[in-house]
Amino acid sequence: MALPTVLNHAEPRASLAPFRDFVNSFDPVVSCGTVTELIGLLIESSGPSAAIGDFCTIHTQGGRVIRAQVVGFRNGNVLSMPLEEADGLSLGDAVIARPGAATVPVGPGLLGRVIDGFGVPMDGPPIEAAEFCPLYRPPEGPLQRAHIEQPLVTGIRAIDGLLPCGKGQRIGIFGGSGVGKSTLIGAMARQSEADVSVIALIGERNREVRGFIEHELGAEGMKKSVVVVATSDRPAALRVRACFVALAIAEYFRDQGKNVLLVMDSVTRLAMAQREIGLAAGEPPSQKGYTPSVFQLLPKVCERAGNFNKGSITGFFTVLVEGDDFNEPICDAVRAILDGHIILSRELGAAGHFPAIQILDSVSRLQSKLATPAQKEHSRKIREALAAYRQAQDLIQLGAYASGSNPRLDASIRAREDMMRFLRQDSNEPSNLAHTLDALGKVAATLPA
Ligand SMILES: Nc1ncnc2c1ncn2[C@@H]1O[C@H](COP(=O)(O)OP(=O)(O)OP(=O)(O)O)[C@@H](O)[C@H]1O
Ligand SMILES: [Mg+2]
């Protein structure tokens, strides 16, 4: 930090204020410890004096500085996990607590940039910080939250028409691998009417990050986005930190009065990173090896989105459904926390139906507040028709259904192609709300009341 140079001779007392702030910003006590053990991913040290979640730096004898995060304590010693490769670490290395490091520099210059889990740009010069936002702060209390009443138009017909999403709502996108989760969130980040999109790519493959930025998001989407990246090869503690960096940035823009779209791809990989940390720190594994701290982390992350008096953070959280098992522990936990879920189906994807949204299994818990009476009515008719078709699907495909025996099913079969055309959409072809509602009404008009 540069020493302030402003001296105002007319008002000597006032001109000392910057110097006083400068001196006050320093902690004169530096807490230091030494490395005593390293097992797997876990560094044990006697000291420094630090709290859980605090950051520290380890100064190796070879001159490297390794950043680490405190994850626990054992027999009076501090347990920490490195945020970067721990090569060169040796016994007796100094560990210094950095209590001020749990912040991220933020400012309008973040828009259009790609940053890593430390908050450092990966694509060019440093960001000019307007302020420093804390990574860890408790989610706002229930009474600080405003009602969710305004829809956030995503540009995706199936969502805006049948699963409307509100400003400040939190929705999970659930699907197996390769069914189009990333493509869908990319399209939403590009097309939605949110002022800013903050996209956290946690545990993705290296190859996919560039593809996502250049193809899914594109130059136009990138202009109003901030992308936070921690790929699968980065240490677990950094992958979790990246998620908090994205939350802090989203909160910064929200405090400026913006409607922010926060996208986290994927929550499953975040949970896996926390499991890695928990197991290394000696937590007992429970369901599928996930440790209790994973289930504590998930609501902490998801609850930081919401509608507030200043602005809103609408959250889209992708959940990788392993082996297409929708009852696995992370799916269950996330579904219970959020205000809606969109289920992507492998069957639809395999048939070339994109976005592969399984409408009948998906729910927006705020639909009754966000949709107009006409939209609710149209949506009910379409859901009924889709359900009737699904029930009789086997018979229809076998040719065992005799047309005329069920008039409702007949109408559903006749309207099937129109419904599918409404639900299918190219990811480069946004649809505005007026057009979506008009098309929804036209499809519903062919169905019985
Ligand atoms: N709207 C779409 N239109 C056409 N093809 C699509 C669409 N969405 C997805 N796909 C196809 O599905 C493939 C996988 O999509 P995507 O990478 O988005 O899946 P994913 O669920 O994020 O996968 P992973 O679990 O590996 O992260 C894409 O390469 C593309 O071929
Ligand atoms: Mg993906």
Side-chain angles (χ1 to χ4, degrees):
M1 195 186 294
L3 194 67
T5 52
V6 195
L7 260 183
N8 182 345
H9 294 287
E11 266 190 276
R13 279 175 71 83
S15 64
L16 285 178
F19 292 91
R20 217 172 29 232
D21 292 347
F22 182 72
V23 171
N24 285 344
S25 68
F26 283 98
D27 187 354
V29 181
V30 174
S31 180
C32 186
T34 50
V35 173
T36 55
E37 206 173 320
L38 171 72
I39 309 165
L41 301 167
L42 204 63
I43 301 165
E44 190 171 318
S45 57
S46 64
S49 154
I52 291 275
D54 274 0
F55 292 96
C56 40
T57 47
I58 304 170
H59 299 255
T60 70
Q61 285 152 27
R64 262 197 82 199
V65 177
I66 300 168
R67 288 166 285 188
Q69 183 170 19
V70 177
V71 294
F73 306 100
R74 187 164 59 199
N75 303 330
N77 282 343
V78 176
L79 305 176
S80 50
M81 284 193 84
L83 294 162
E84 48 202 330
E85 280 65 36
D87 304 341
L89 191 82
S90 47
L91 268 181
D93 284 346
V95 185
I96 297 175
R98 303 279 177 205
T103 58
V104 61
V106 288
L110 275 169
L111 291 177
R113 302 299 301 270
V114 183
I115 62 177
D116 68 7
F118 293 111
V120 176
M122 300 167 84
D123 59 351
I127 285 151
E128 220 169 280
E131 53 188 283
F132 287 81
C133 274
L135 294 183
Y136 306 107
R137 55 178 163 190
E140 308 249 352
L143 302 183
Q144 269 78 51
R145 290 171 189 256
H147 293 296
I148 298 176
E149 279 157 350
Q150 282 183 319
L152 180 93
V153 180
T154 60
I156 313 281
R157 275 196 298 273
I159 298 179
D160 294 339
L162 296 163
L163 302 161
C165 161
K167 286 182 182 151
Q169 191 171 349
R170 296 142 329 142
I171 297 200
I173 298 177
F174 295 74
S177 57
V179 296
K181 297 183 295 300
S182 302
T183 313
L184 182 62
I185 58 163
M188 286 196 285
R190 194 177 60 234
Q191 301 167 2
S192 88
E193 56 173 29
D195 303 314
V196 176
S197 305
V198 179
I199 301 158
L201 301 179
I202 313 284
E204 287 282 306
R205 305 163 195 96
N206 267 300
R207 168 184 64 76
E208 283 182 338
V209 172
R210 191 150 177 208
F212 180 84
I213 292 169
E214 288 175 8
H215 301 132
E216 255 76 81
L217 212 49
E220 197 194 327
M222 199 58 205
K223 267 192 237 157
K224 60 165 189 171
S225 302
V226 186
V227 183
V228 184
V229 178
T231 44
S232 54
D233 55 326
R234 309 306 291 151
L238 189 64
R239 278 178 270 150
V240 176
R241 191 184 200 272
C243 153
F244 285 94
V245 166
L247 288 171
I249 293 173
E251 283 170 347
Y252 161 73
F253 285 110
R254 175 205 61 191
D255 291 346
Q256 312 269 311
K258 305 266 196 256
N259 290 310
V260 181
L261 178 71
L262 170 75
V263 172
M264 198 154 287
D265 192 13
S266 74
V267 172
T268 309
R269 300 215 170 99
L270 170 72
M272 287 174 175
Q274 182 61 36
R275 170 171 70 182
E276 224 174 277
I277 297 172
L279 290 175
E283 274 188 73
S286 59
Q287 309 164 54
K288 269 208 162 184
Y290 287 106
T291 59
S293 65
V294 174
F295 300 99
Q296 194 191 13
L297 174 76
L298 294 176
K300 261 204 267 180
V301 169
C302 298
E303 284 292 341
R304 277 172 76 173
N307 194 18
F308 306 94
N309 296 325
K310 296 162 264 184
S312 66
I313 302 179
T314 309
F316 279 99
F317 301 92
T318 71
V319 180
L320 174 70
V321 183
E322 287 174 78
D324 292 323
D325 170 14
F326 285 87
N327 293 322
E328 62 104 38
I330 298 303
C331 277
D332 253 2
V334 175
R335 211 162 26 188
I337 301 165
L338 300 178
D339 316 312
H341 49 265
I342 293 174
I343 306 270
L344 300 186
S345 131
R346 187 173 296 285
E347 204 184 334
L348 289 174
H353 178 113
F354 287 109
I357 301 175
Q358 185 59 267
I359 298 288
L360 289 176
D361 299 331
S362 307
V363 174
S364 166
R365 291 191 191 164
L366 297 173
Q367 188 195 21
S368 58
K369 281 193 175 170
L370 298 167
T372 60
Q375 185 183 356
K376 276 186 236 172
E377 178 63 14
H378 297 156
S379 156
R380 181 190 59 78
K381 279 173 149 187
I382 292 179
R383 275 179 179 267
E384 271 178 14
L386 289 171
Y389 189 92
R390 178 150 89 176
Q391 230 173 10
Q393 190 166 12
D394 291 346
L395 291 180
I396 298 167
Q397 280 167 0
L398 283 172
Y401 172 71
S403 153
S405 45
N406 179 347
R408 280 189 174 271
L409 185 54
D410 289 337
S412 160
I413 295 170
R414 273 196 308 276
R416 179 88 185 157
E417 197 36 52
D418 286 343
M419 289 193 283
M420 292 297 119
R421 204 171 308 123
F422 173 79
L423 296 173
R424 274 195 303 262
Q425 187 176 353
D426 198 272
S427 60
N428 301 317
E429 188 192 283
S431 172
N432 64 35
L433 188 61
H435 185 261
T436 298
L437 294 183
D438 184 46
L440 185 78
K442 283 192 180 134
V443 177
T446 62
L447 293 165

